[in-house]
Amino acid sequence: MKREWRGRCSLQQRRLEFLHSSPKNRPVIGVQKPNHMSQQSRNKGASAPSSLHPSAILDHAIAAHRSGNLSDAERAYTTILKGSRTHPVALHMLGLLHAQRGKFADAEPLLKKAARADPGNADVLFNYANVLRALDKTDDALAWLAKVIALSPNFAGAHLNRGAILLARKELHGAIAEFDRAIAIAPSSAAFANRGSAFQQLGRLDEAHGSYQSAVELAPSDPQKHFALSEVLTQMGRDDEAIGALERTVALDKAFPFALSKLVASRRKRADWRSFEREQAALDEAVESGVVVDPFTFFHASSSPAHQLTCAKTYVANVAPDRGAAIRKTPSPVSRLRVAYMSADFRSHATAHLMAGVFEEHDRERFDVSAISYGPDDRGEMRNRLKAAFERFEDVSHLTDEDVAKLIRQLDIEILVDLGGFTAGARPKILARRAAPIQVNYLGFPGTMGASYIDYIMADRIVIPEAEQQHYAEKVIYLPDSYQASDARRPLLPNAPARNRVGLADDAFVYCAFNRTSKITPVLFDVWMRLLTKTAGSVLWLLDGEPIARENLRREAVARGIGAERIVFAPPVAADEHLARHQLADLFLDTLPYNAHTTASDALWAGLPILTCLGTAFAGRVAASLLNAVGLPELVTHSLDEYEGLALRIAHDSELRTALKSKLATNRTSWPLFDTIGMTRHIEKAFNEMWRRHCAGEAPASFAV
């Protein structure tokens, strides 16, 4: 994003203005072109002799500044200030030069002196306020912008920048008032876009859409405006229009942060595979070239741990860079180890369903366990259960990242476990502030976060083979058996409904694939359609999603010679009903390169065997981890040809199917996968070893429990 600067260059009020890149959440602010400079000051490369009159040196400095010769300009401004330390124009312009280089701390004292030397110059005060804003001194910045407006009430940029500060501080109504004033004075794309953001955060989506649309009309070649429009259209459920806006964003700038990954995610959610291979290649190229791509989307599409590390590193460098030094702390010998779990998903959500039992089983004599919840409160049964499971449950959804980090420090948390990573609603900027001495990536995000401030990732030897540790920024903690927690307190399954009540024929062989549509790839769908071709009377049972996804999947089936009626969709139902209907299926077909995770745990808990193909990255190895931990390694294949062959063998051999289901039923209660107490003890041992290393002054290192 951009910030506006204004420069008074001489008594003739010549202007020098330039662009400055700002953090992601700062507004886009228009920039005026510089006015004409004297012919004398156009000599770009020559240094100005110190014997010249200060006005001539200033002309030379400004000409060098305009042409991008910043070193020469800096020397000339410095020469002027040696002769006159309070020269207002030289102070102002040298301050702007430092700001242009991103050296705001160097710019601040110069612009402060310039503002004192020329207090009636609105441009000088405006630029000083901008530097204060860049240094996060927002109270001071607002005060100086108020002075600008007092001097020049129709200064649109001052209203716009005040609104931007209020927007960042979540003072949304005040921000809208400032943007309205800026628009009344001089309608601009930036003002409309920022007003749209404020309306969007207030949930006033129609007004947000109108503002973004105006921003696009005023700046049709600005990809950022189209991207912002796509975001609100997505929230409004106008997906076709949102995809169109994303397409325009990518067409204008294929390197625009997140645009390509959001476009790919939108199309895969709808099973729109018309450009699948081209989009896959574009994603890989974007990551390799340093474009900011959403890691969660990329991990769904990538089979390369090395590329995933590159993607995550680029993401954190741009979105959540390291903001604090590691905390050193020595505990009291008698104190319990203070652990906090942080998540957006302490509610009826997959993460909560896996972890609830672990939270409850922690040894309270040795561990003080807290929840840091920044997600929505659905007021449901799981939310209430989780509140009861923790010693303290902190709802921080209303707090800023900095305030959450301060709270975690005030609670004296020693190990902070992040259950979200880069999934929906996650807030990695809290971790970037080094809220706790030890910070751990676990469960919710299947891969590296690429961040220097995440010390460990909890895994197992299947999801992260030892030979691949170099593809993880974190040190790896190897839990025995599977890394994935589970909740043995899940209720017993109710009776399965009759097949005809869920659209299944009584005599059909049911291949089940209850993963999200976005995990299904054309190559995998080819395999599934061949299975239907070779298995008489079979159907493929999928989760229902968007209507257009249903249409696309059925159309893809027909294109492969399979009748549309053989693709059956399971509508959304309550969690216990969903578990129960697994009993109607004969075989669960896993996806690749992103496996079933919680979905796989659900199927195995419900007694349904899963057939998987071992992938090459964490997300594609999870089902293999679970199957090994429940004693069914024979259902892990190592190629899609092997996967297809074993699926057919199981479909055509009723005795084999019976044996697999019987083995799963026996192992479910005797093997480690669903042993919640055992998993909790393993996690606690990991915590103790992390803390022992920390207190001994040892750097984080990979280890096995």
Side-chain angles (χ1 to χ4, degrees), residues 304-598:
S304 167
H307 285 176
Q308 292 180 3
L309 176 60
T310 300
C311 175
K313 282 185 172 181
T314 301
Y315 178 86
V316 297
N318 285 271
V319 174
D322 198 332
R323 296 285 298 273
I327 300 170
R328 302 304 305 174
K329 183 178 181 300
T330 302
S332 164
V334 296
S335 67
R336 294 181 297 161
L337 189 57
R338 286 178 286 276
V339 176
Y341 290 91
M342 185 170 73
S343 178
D345 302 318
F346 290 129
R347 54 194 165 91
S348 182
H349 183 275
T351 298
H353 285 288
L354 290 175
M355 288 296 296
V358 171
F359 300 148
E360 292 166 337
E361 293 295 340
H362 270 307
D363 183 347
R364 300 302 188 216
E365 292 185 0
R366 296 187 298 128
F367 297 91
D368 178 328
V369 185
S370 301
I372 307 296
S373 173
Y374 49 72
D377 180 357
D378 62 2
R379 303 184 184 278
E381 185 177 329
M382 177 57 77
R383 178 77 167 196
N384 291 333
R385 179 182 172 188
L386 295 176
K387 283 184 175 181
F390 291 100
E391 294 188 49
R392 67 188 59 79
F393 190 99
E394 300 286 348
D395 185 341
V396 298
S397 56
H398 61 292
L399 297 180
T400 65
D401 295 329
E402 179 60 39
D403 287 340
V404 176
K406 287 179 181 176
L407 174 63
I408 292 169
R409 295 187 197 106
Q410 288 168 3
L411 293 174
D412 217 10
I413 299 303
E414 293 159 332
I415 297 177
L416 179 62
V417 183
D418 177 40
L419 297 172
F422 301 135
T423 58
R427 291 171 62 177
K429 292 180 182 179
I430 297 169
L431 298 158
R433 287 167 166 78
R434 266 290 175 182
I438 296 175
Q439 300 189 145
V440 183
N441 170 15
Y442 178 52
L443 192 69
F445 186 69
T448 183
M449 290 179 67
S452 59
Y453 46 80
I454 306 296
D455 303 293
Y456 295 99
I457 180 171
M458 288 203 281
D460 61 55
R461 296 186 188 278
I462 292 177
V463 293
I464 304 181
E466 288 192 41
E468 295 186 4
Q469 288 182 14
Q470 72 268 26
H471 302 313
Y472 293 79
E474 308 88 342
K475 298 303 179 182
V476 183
I477 299 170
Y478 287 109
L479 298 175
D481 312 310
S482 176
Y483 83 103
Q484 191 186 89
S486 62
D487 177 19
R489 283 185 52 190
R490 277 192 270 193
L492 296 175
L493 296 172
N495 292 328
R499 274 192 167 191
N500 60 14
R501 292 188 58 191
V502 295
L504 299 172
D506 288 338
D507 59 350
F509 183 88
V510 179
Y511 289 111
C512 168
F514 281 163
N515 273 322
R516 295 188 302 272
T517 302
S518 57
K519 293 185 181 182
I520 303 173
T521 66
V523 171
L524 193 64
F525 201 71
D526 288 342
V527 173
W528 292 354
M529 295 305 97
R530 289 196 295 270
L531 292 175
L532 292 185
T533 298
K534 297 173 183 178
T535 308
S538 62
V539 297
L540 178 63
W541 199 18
L542 303 175
L543 282 182
D544 203 357
E546 298 183 11
I548 194 165
R550 288 199 303 273
E551 295 171 12
N552 285 339
L553 287 167
R554 282 177 168 150
R555 188 186 67 250
E556 293 286 350
V558 170
R560 291 163 173 80
I562 298 297
E565 72 281 357
R566 295 180 69 184
I567 310 298
V568 181
F569 290 95
V573 294
D576 58 342
E577 294 179 59
H578 177 60
L579 279 172
R581 66 186 175 185
H582 281 78
Q583 299 168 85
L584 303 178
D586 295 293
L587 180 65
F588 189 110
L589 298 175
D590 197 15
T591 46
L592 198 72
Y594 199 115
N595 287 172
H597 293 183
T598 307

Side-chain angles (χ1 to χ4, degrees), residues 73-84:
E74 182 177 5
R75 283 192 296 271
Y77 293 139
T78 302
T79 297
I80 296 170
L81 291 171
K82 284 180 181 178
S84 176

